[in-house]
Amino acid sequence: MTLEGKTALVTGSTSGIGLEIAGRMAGLGASIVLNGFGDSGQIECERQLLQEEHGIAAMYSPADMSDPDQIAQMVGAALDRFGAIDILVNNAGIQHVEDIETFPPEAWDRIMAINLTAAFHTICHVLPGMREADWGRIVNVASAHSLVASPGKSAYVAAKHGLSGLSKTVALETAEDGITCYCISPGYVRTPLVEKQIPETAKARGMTEDQVTRDVILAAQPTKQFVTAEQVAGAALFLRSPDAAQITGANLSVDGGWTAA
Ligand code: NAD
């Protein structure tokens, strides 16, 4: 299976799971559109590394996924450069952990905008080209929290359940057009997003950070292990294969058994 001749846009790919997915897709020959925040020098190094290691072309867009105009500009720039977006991975995401009565409304709005509404906008922009090509793959990186809830995560859980519903609807609307759309739902992966929520959860639940890691995070996963970014990226890559052409509208758990319990 090669992705030569294809272009993949991966939102939130300057870190964690998104960076791993972008690297693995580049390894299969896809041109890559990186997106996300971070140190500009470091992002440029990652972009050049992808090009040099894999002999592919990679561009970077600093678009803020909470801003529909910047999303439109990012897709426009990618289409100008590569002519098509064949694979869209909606991965950018943020978290805030706090009980609902004190949950800051601006944190709610930002989580909804980045974790859910951004995917609506990117999908709307890429679908016309995918329909014209009679081929497209849309992967939404959801979460075990698209299937179950945890205290303190009202906005994140609502957004990820919404992302699962969005994936199903897009799957039905594109079912006869050579396009698939599904979500991957990881359990806990030790990325900056999780590192940040350990102290927040400790505060929200009156626990120490060690207790949060052992009794909240790893306790949720029957395997008692973190999922790795490589394992999530592997699931995303499988879904690129012709064997996966009938997998659409699905919610694929990569969560160490969390949502089976
Ligand atoms: P991460 O913090 O390492 O990466 C998040 C990425 O999103 C970064 O590149 C960041 O710059 C980007 N980003 C944040 N806000 C943005 C914005 N406004 N516009 C553009 N980019 C923005 O986190 P991660 O753990 O790799 O998370 C990636 C995805 O996986 C998220 O959607 C997250 O909800 C999901 N997820 C993570 C876990 C986990 O345990 N880490 C579990 C389930 C699901």
Side-chain angles (χ1 to χ4, degrees):
M1 178 186 61
T2 170
L3 291 177
E4 272 170 38
K6 305 272 190 228
T7 298
L9 188 166
V10 186
T11 72
S13 47
T14 53
S15 168
I17 293 168
L19 183 58
E20 185 67 30
I21 292 174
R24 297 280 287 272
M25 289 192 174
L28 290 174
S31 303
I32 298 294
V33 184
L34 290 173
N35 159 257
F37 300 151
D39 177 78
S40 58
Q42 204 175 329
I43 293 170
E44 179 54 15
C45 279
E46 293 288 359
R47 191 190 70 78
Q48 286 184 15
L49 199 66
L50 284 182
Q51 296 199 143
E52 285 157 20
E53 269 190 3
H54 304 298
I56 54 97
M59 65 173 275
Y60 164 66
S61 164
D64 182 338
M65 290 301 104
S66 69
D67 180 344
D69 290 339
Q70 292 189 38
I71 293 172
Q73 281 166 15
M74 173 183 72
V75 173
L79 291 175
D80 283 349
R81 171 83 189 267
F82 295 120
I85 296 170
D86 309 284
I87 300 165
L88 168 66
V89 183
N90 285 305
N91 169 79
I94 58 166
Q95 174 64 288
H96 180 87
V97 183
E98 193 166 336
D99 285 348
I100 192 155
E101 297 97 316
T102 55
F103 204 94
E106 50 286 3
W108 172 278
D109 288 345
R110 200 155 170 78
I111 288 174
M112 285 297 159
I114 296 166
N115 294 17
L116 176 57
T117 310
F120 161 72
H121 291 297
T122 55
I123 289 168
C124 289
H125 289 306
V126 304
L127 270 185
M130 288 181 174
R131 286 192 197 281
E132 211 169 294
D134 291 321
W135 197 90
R137 294 288 177 267
I138 300 171
V139 177
N140 297 319
V141 179
S143 165
H145 284 115
S146 73
L147 295 162
V148 295
S150 295
K153 297 187 179 175
S154 53
Y156 189 85
V157 169
K160 294 297 189 181
H161 274 66
L163 191 57
S164 169
L166 174 66
S167 307
K168 291 180 191 176
T169 306
V170 173
L172 295 182
E173 291 187 13
T174 59
E176 295 182 56
D177 305 325
I179 299 165
T180 65
C181 178
Y182 31 72
C183 52
I184 294 177
S185 286
Y188 284 106
V189 184
R190 195 140 201 168
T191 64
L193 181 136
V194 164
E195 296 293 353
K196 178 177 170 287
Q197 70 183 270
I198 291 174
E200 287 179 0
T201 305
K203 193 170 161 217
R205 297 199 186 186
M207 300 167 103
T208 66
E209 294 188 15
D210 282 350
Q211 282 172 325
V212 170
T213 304
R214 189 187 61 239
D215 300 337
V216 178
I217 293 184
L218 293 181
Q221 300 189 171
T223 57
K224 301 283 180 278
Q225 291 174 33
F226 280 97
V227 176
T228 66
E230 291 80 1
Q231 289 161 344
V232 179
L237 283 186
F238 165 66
L239 294 168
R240 311 268 70 75
S241 120
D243 291 338
Q246 293 296 320
I247 300 179
T248 193
N251 188 338
L252 178 62
S253 293
V254 186
D255 65 2
W258 176 350
T259 51

